[in-house]
Amino acid sequence: MKEIAPTVISEWLRIRTEARGSSLNYKLWHPHEATIKTHADEYETTVGDPAALRRLVEALGFTPLVTVDKTRTTWRLPEVEVALDHLAGAGHYVEFEFTGDATGVDDATARLEKVIADLGVELGPRVHRGYPHILLGRDH
């Protein structure tokens, strides 16, 4: 029986391999059923043998969906990480992540937007989807 992809993809299991090592990451985006996500629960751990982990998750029934090939340069500002990404096959992106302590999502969002505005740089249109969504040609 063919599986049908959900209308909104809100969770990812990722195996990342990069020069400094490998990791397993799980993200659950919120609001779960919304097409525009505001934040995520994220859990990550290092992996000693990514090939063995791939075989393990495939044995559990997971199948690779997309490979994200990106080059990233990061900077740290107080409470914000800024990443300049080149996504193979999809172009260049700037990602801002609030890393400070906040009283909630609204507080973190307001503080992040203030930092971005204070930079005084012109940015392109805001993208409300992750790199896997972009590469899969999905809006959400």
Side-chain angles (χ1 to χ4, degrees):
M1 177 165 67
K2 183 177 175 165
E3 292 185 40
I4 299 171
T7 303
V8 177
I9 298 174
S10 295
E11 59 186 338
W12 295 104
L13 183 64
R14 173 185 73 206
I15 300 170
R16 173 181 278 169
T17 302
E18 53 190 359
R20 64 181 177 182
S22 297
S23 62
L24 176 68
N25 175 279
Y26 171 78
K27 282 188 185 185
L28 177 60
W29 288 95
H30 300 283
H32 190 72
E33 293 301 322
T35 56
I36 296 178
K37 309 300 185 184
T38 59
H39 62 288
D41 296 326
E42 187 169 357
Y43 309 99
E44 187 164 3
T45 188
T46 57
V47 171
D49 188 342
L53 179 59
R54 281 186 183 85
R55 289 190 302 273
L56 183 150
V57 297
E58 288 174 6
L60 291 172
F62 290 84
T63 56
L65 184 60
V66 64
T67 298
V68 175
D69 182 6
K70 75 178 176 195
T71 304
R72 170 171 277 188
T73 304
T74 59
W75 288 272
R76 288 226 178 254
L77 301 173
E79 300 189 319
V80 174
E81 180 178 282
V82 180
L84 298 181
D85 293 340
H86 172 71
L87 187 59
H92 298 275
Y93 296 86
V94 180
E95 180 180 294
F96 297 91
E97 181 177 350
F98 183 77
T99 57
D101 292 323
T103 58
V105 174
D106 291 340
D107 179 39
T109 300
R111 290 167 58 189
L112 178 62
E113 288 177 354
K114 182 180 182 329
V115 169
I116 294 168
D118 288 348
L119 291 174
V121 296
E122 187 175 331
L123 300 171
R126 189 172 283 191
V127 176
H128 291 283
R129 56 191 181 139
Y131 296 149
H133 293 94
I134 292 168
L135 293 171
L136 291 169
R138 292 186 60 137
D139 289 330
H140 46 280

